[in-house]
Amino acid sequence: MKWLELFLRASTPTDRFVLGISAAGILSSGWLITSEPGKRAVVFRDNRPVMTLALDQDRKQEVSGRLGPVIIQVEQGRVRLLEYQSPRMIGTRTGWIQGAGRATACVPCGVLVRVEGKQKGSAPSSAHEFDAVSE
Amino acid sequence: MSGHVSGYLSIPPLRRDLLIAYLAAAAVTVHVLEAALPGPGPWFKPGLANVFALVAFLRLGWRGAMAVTLMRILAGSLALGTLFTPGFFLSFFGGCGALAMLALLRMIPSSGLGVVGISLLAALAHMAAQIVAAWLLIIGHAGILAALPWFLAGSWISGVLNGLLTYLLLEHFDRHHALLTEP
């Protein structure tokens, strides 16, 4: 109750309106991005696709990041960044990602993993995109 | 007034500079301590050091907030040994994003926003700028934007939390004898 009293004392009606609008915007954009399980994970290093991992094949794969090797694990249709050198380890702490359109990254390593497949309100990933990644 | 928004201090330049230095020192200390502690989650970083930049903004103006923010980022990175690393640039562009939002809010003084609203919008701008900087400068792939809602959700919480803490800090700050007496 003390926190509620503090909140009511510290905030103006405009503050509460902005809080509500921004929360709704964040939740709806999160819902839009959440989607059906993806079919493959594309690994990018410095915006260059370096490999594509099928999510129906469990494996561990190493890629070379800016700070050293980065290990990517695929298991039961999910993918995660498992191990690398980074101060905050945000990518590893993000854990498993599964839905098409989701991404996890080690920013200091320059490595990004993106799950591809069918997203809400969009067509499946184009053949061109898939081909480009497969090259 | 609710939210402690109004009330720039009318103080001599030397006292103003000293206040900025004190606020920057407190911000650097909290910045370094927070970096040493385990975070509560991947998407959430409290960013408590930003409380001191908000106090500077509300009592000393935008230039005060800019001085506190830039000193925190530079001195904090020096203390942590992360100067000119990717983390430093993310922190720098995040700080610039928050300062740009504060500059925008300063241009609409009758917005009705209080401490909590200002803190929230600055926190969201801070995170959005960091993700855009990560996309354009480091990762290079727009796929990183898919993580934006999760990071913004963390920033939403930290923005509200920091707004409440700023309100509490201002209650003490405004009663401090150094601000009530002549030098």
Side-chain angles (χ1 to χ4, degrees):
Chain A
M1 281 308 280
K2 277 189 174 180
W3 279 100
L4 181 62
E5 285 171 19
L6 173 65
F7 175 76
L8 292 174
R9 194 157 43 102
S11 60
T12 65
T14 311
D15 287 348
R16 290 167 218 148
F17 176 74
V18 171
L19 256 66
I21 289 288
S22 56
I26 292 167
L27 287 174
S28 56
S29 59
W31 180 82
L32 279 171
I33 286 173
T34 308
S35 54
E36 292 176 15
K39 297 190 183 311
R40 58 194 170 270
V42 184
V43 182
F44 294 85
R45 163 77 202 275
D46 295 332
N47 198 25
R48 202 167 48 85
V50 290
M51 69 177 67
T52 300
L53 304 170
L55 293 183
D56 56 1
Q57 294 169 11
D58 293 359
R59 64 197 284 198
K60 284 182 188 172
Q61 188 71 43
E62 186 177 297
V63 293
S64 173
R66 289 185 186 183
L67 304 178
V70 178
I71 297 174
I72 297 156
Q73 184 178 19
V74 175
E75 191 179 288
Q76 297 175 354
R78 310 167 299 170
V79 62
R80 68 173 174 176
L81 289 171
L82 185 61
E83 198 174 289
Y84 53 87
Q85 298 293 319
S86 170
R88 289 181 60 199
M89 301 295 283
I90 288 177
T92 291
R93 291 164 66 201
T94 297
W96 297 101
I97 57 170
Q98 188 172 24
R102 291 286 310 272
T104 183
C106 169
V107 173
C109 309
V111 173
L112 177 130
V113 179
R114 186 169 192 266
V115 177
E116 295 194 343
K118 188 180 178 184
Q119 285 182 253
K120 278 178 187 151
S122 68
S125 301
S126 68
H128 172 77
E129 185 181 10
F130 184 65
D131 287 343
V133 166
S134 302
E135 285 171 359
Chain B
M1 179 178 172
S2 180
H4 287 306
V5 165
S6 63
Y8 283 163
L9 292 171
S10 179
I11 51 175
L14 178 60
R15 181 168 280 189
R16 180 187 183 81
D17 290 346
L18 279 172
L19 270 177
I20 288 175
Y22 290 146
L23 289 169
V28 171
T29 305
V30 173
H31 180 95
V32 172
L33 282 174
E34 199 175 289
L37 295 172
W43 313 112
F44 181 71
K45 192 181 177 201
L48 297 172
N50 294 316
V51 166
F52 301 101
L54 277 173
V55 169
F57 175 69
L58 294 168
R59 289 297 174 266
L60 303 171
W62 186 82
R63 285 172 187 270
M66 182 184 69
V68 171
T69 301
L70 295 182
M71 279 194 273
R72 171 184 65 79
I73 293 168
L74 275 172
S77 300
L78 276 171
L80 294 168
T82 58
L83 193 64
F84 302 134
T85 62
F88 165 79
F89 288 109
L90 292 182
S91 186
F92 175 76
F93 282 103
C96 289
L99 288 171
M101 176 59 78
L102 293 179
L104 192 70
L105 295 176
R106 189 182 55 157
M107 290 177 353
I108 37 175
S110 57
S111 65
L113 282 171
V115 176
V116 176
I118 292 171
S119 173
L120 171 73
L121 291 175
L124 294 178
H126 186 280
M127 182 52 71
Q130 279 199 338
I131 296 292
V132 170
W135 164 33
L136 296 177
L137 300 179
I138 303 171
I139 292 284
H141 191 280
I144 187 100
L145 298 178
L148 193 56
W150 281 265
F151 279 111
L152 286 180
S155 288
W156 192 93
I157 296 168
S158 64
V160 175
L161 181 70
N162 286 343
L164 296 176
L165 290 174
T166 304
Y167 179 86
L168 291 174
L169 188 59
L170 282 173
E171 284 190 332
H172 292 281
F173 189 86
D174 289 343
R175 290 199 303 265
H176 198 280
H177 64 87
L179 303 172
L180 299 174
T181 56
E182 287 299 313

